[in-house]
Amino acid sequence: MKYYERMKDKFEKLRTKKDIIILSIESSCDETSVAVVKNGRIVLSNIIATQIEIHRRFGGVVPEVASRNHITAISNIYKEALSQANMNESEIDAVAVTYGAGLMGALLVGVNFAKGLAYALDIPLIAVSHVYGHIAANYISHELLVPPFICLMVSGGHTALLKVDDYNKMKLLGTTVDDAVGEAFDKVARVLGLQYPGGPEIDKLAKQGNPIYKFTVSNALKHTLNFSFSGIKTEVVNLVHNMTQRGEEINKADIACSFQECVTDELSLKAIKACKNIGIKKLVVAGGVGANSRLKEKLTKLCTENNIEFYSPVLRFCTDNAAMIGSQAYYMLKDGLGLAELSLTAKPNIEL
Ligand code: KG4
Ligand code: ZN
């Protein structure tokens, strides 16, 4: 019998097994990560090799460099993840991998490693969407959190509001019509001469500034749950260029603070609006920008005022990691979803 035919049986039996151990792999951008997760919630290990220092000198991620570094790192990260979880290969029930969205070459390293491993160990392979993984970062952060809830997804690649009915069932309420919010943070940071990745740098610098500049986000989208961040990005770029041309001194902290105030207002107010419109009193934030201290501050305050429960991932699960992929894979397996064939390939873009 062929691998996939054998796996259909194994996958079906696994769904009802008491304890399920998933080894998960994430390599969509500049973090090589392997984790071992038990029953979707217990993280036995989560090893992350970050390439941030390597890409910093280029001011952003260089895809080809990212792929090469994933290749160099992945075998050792895999061994370390098993060893830290105190497991041997025979104890793994399934392999999960991020197959998209992300950088094609980077994703392929994880996908091919996962395929080889699943075949060699003769266990099922589960293909996980990186975006759903970010939502699952909350399940490993909050033991008792269960759907339904409203999710504010804020990463480097996506910005959206989702109604999460169940672990694998969600509806898009609103999305960005142009840039993702993480992209805007990174671009503004770059024009201010801050290092990559820009989001955490703006977060830090904004604390020393005042919101003296009145930036705007698209008025046309005011009555919707959609977002637009390319306009504010251009406003900041133009301001900095004009000030430079006039030889004026640029107070980077004030610009960072003004930008951050504007975008976090937009994100938090629309997230609360979504909860109210839908009538769900539980809000969950997901993705790298979810690490932003001002965004969390505003969401915490607004949720308290509106009697909404608020959840955000613990910091180490906010940005890219494999544990969140292992968590989502568990809930996919439980619902009989995601079993992949060995022909699985990477998908740079995935619709929400
Ligand atoms: O979710 P993520 O790790 O990768 C994607 O799936 O895209 O998000 C990365 C994004 C980057 O744009 C980074 O600048 C931003 O998250 N980020 C932050 C903060 N930490 C990371 N943005 C604002 N404030 C932060 N503290
Ligand atoms: Zn991510």
Side-chain angles (χ1 to χ4, degrees):
M1 221 196 308
K2 286 224 166 95
Y3 166 81
Y4 188 65
E5 294 306 314
R6 276 199 311 279
M7 288 312 120
K8 277 189 195 162
D9 268 3
K10 278 203 179 181
F11 195 67
E12 223 21 67
K13 285 192 189 118
L14 206 51
R15 287 177 65 186
T16 50
K17 187 171 178 261
K18 186 172 162 276
D19 285 327
I20 300 172
I21 305 288
I22 295 182
L23 182 126
S24 50
I25 298 169
E26 157 65 43
S27 70
S28 65
C29 190
D30 58 349
E31 257 100 35
T32 321
S33 181
V34 180
V36 180
V37 180
K38 182 176 167 184
N39 296 338
R41 298 270 176 167
I42 304 160
V43 180
L44 300 177
S45 66
N46 182 40
I47 311 295
I48 305 171
T50 180
Q51 303 174 14
I52 284 180
E53 287 303 330
I54 297 166
H55 297 285
R56 196 162 263 166
R57 79 184 94 128
F58 305 109
V61 180
V62 182
E64 180 60 24
V65 174
S67 317
R68 285 169 188 269
N69 280 283
H70 284 309
I71 292 171
T72 315
I74 199 157
S75 294
N76 285 335
I77 301 295
Y78 164 68
K79 286 180 201 147
E80 209 177 320
L82 276 181
S83 136
Q84 214 178 85
N86 219 354
M87 292 258 152
N88 59 55
E89 289 176 333
S90 63
E91 293 170 276
I92 308 169
D93 293 306
V95 178
V97 67
T98 301
Y99 75 102
L103 301 169
M104 187 66 181
L107 286 163
L108 278 172
V109 178
V111 166
N112 284 315
F113 191 88
K115 288 201 286 193
L117 194 62
Y119 185 69
L121 301 178
D122 206 40
I123 54 177
L125 173 66
I126 304 170
V128 181
S129 151
H130 183 77
V131 189
Y132 286 5
H134 271 303
I135 300 175
N138 284 281
Y139 306 139
I140 48 180
S141 301
H142 308 286
E143 212 182 326
L144 301 176
L145 174 68
V146 289
F149 51 76
I150 298 295
C151 175
L152 173 66
M153 166 64 61
V154 278
S155 71
H158 292 90
T159 303
L161 278 161
L162 298 152
K163 177 172 175 258
V164 180
D165 292 306
D166 207 345
Y167 295 100
N168 294 296
K169 193 169 162 250
M170 39 201 102
K171 186 172 170 257
L172 188 65
L173 302 173
T175 185
T176 177
V177 297
D178 41 55
D179 296 346
V181 65
E183 246 177 296
F185 266 97
D186 293 340
K187 176 73 195 193
V188 166
R190 199 193 287 214
V191 85
L192 292 177
L194 308 177
Q195 63 182 1
Y196 172 83
E201 295 300 310
I202 292 204
D203 196 348
K204 252 188 274 165
L205 191 61
K207 291 188 183 13
Q208 297 154 32
N210 294 300
I212 60 167
Y213 298 101
K214 297 296 164 226
F215 296 125
T216 48
V217 281
S218 172
N219 243 343
L221 301 173
K222 205 155 99 191
H223 301 294
T224 72
L225 291 175
N226 289 328
F227 301 99
S228 166
F229 296 108
S230 77
I232 185 169
K233 189 181 75 182
T234 310
E235 278 183 31
V236 179
V237 171
N238 289 346
L239 175 75
V240 173
H241 284 172
N242 292 340
M243 288 175 84
T244 310
Q245 266 177 356
R246 290 197 294 263
E248 291 171 19
E249 196 190 324
I250 296 168
N251 186 323
K252 292 183 183 179
D254 284 346
I255 297 178
C257 180
S258 307
F259 164 78
Q260 184 174 271
E261 280 307 304
C262 182
V263 296
T264 53
D265 264 353
E266 173 74 352
L267 292 169
S268 54
L269 292 172
K270 283 198 170 156
I272 299 295
K273 187 167 153 186
C275 291
K276 285 186 174 169
N277 284 0
I278 305 291
I280 290 183
K281 293 201 154 282
K282 208 189 279 185
L283 177 68
V284 168
V285 70
V289 184
N292 186 267
S293 61
R294 192 67 181 127
L295 179 63
K296 283 197 284 192
E297 215 171 274
K298 286 184 184 174
L299 287 172
T300 305
K301 182 169 177 285
L302 285 171
C303 283
T304 308
E305 285 168 8
N306 289 281
N307 201 17
I308 295 168
E309 284 175 50
F310 174 58
Y311 298 87
S312 65
V314 296
L315 213 54
R316 69 182 183 286
F317 297 138
C318 239
T319 44
D320 294 347
N321 66 87
M324 66 185 196
I325 303 301
S327 173
Q328 182 60 23
Y330 171 83
Y331 290 105
M332 291 171 74
L333 166 71
K334 280 287 174 188
D335 284 347
L337 300 169
L339 177 65
E341 303 198 38
L342 291 177
S343 58
L344 176 73
T345 188
K347 259 185 103 174
N349 298 304
I350 292 186
E351 290 286 306
L352 277 172

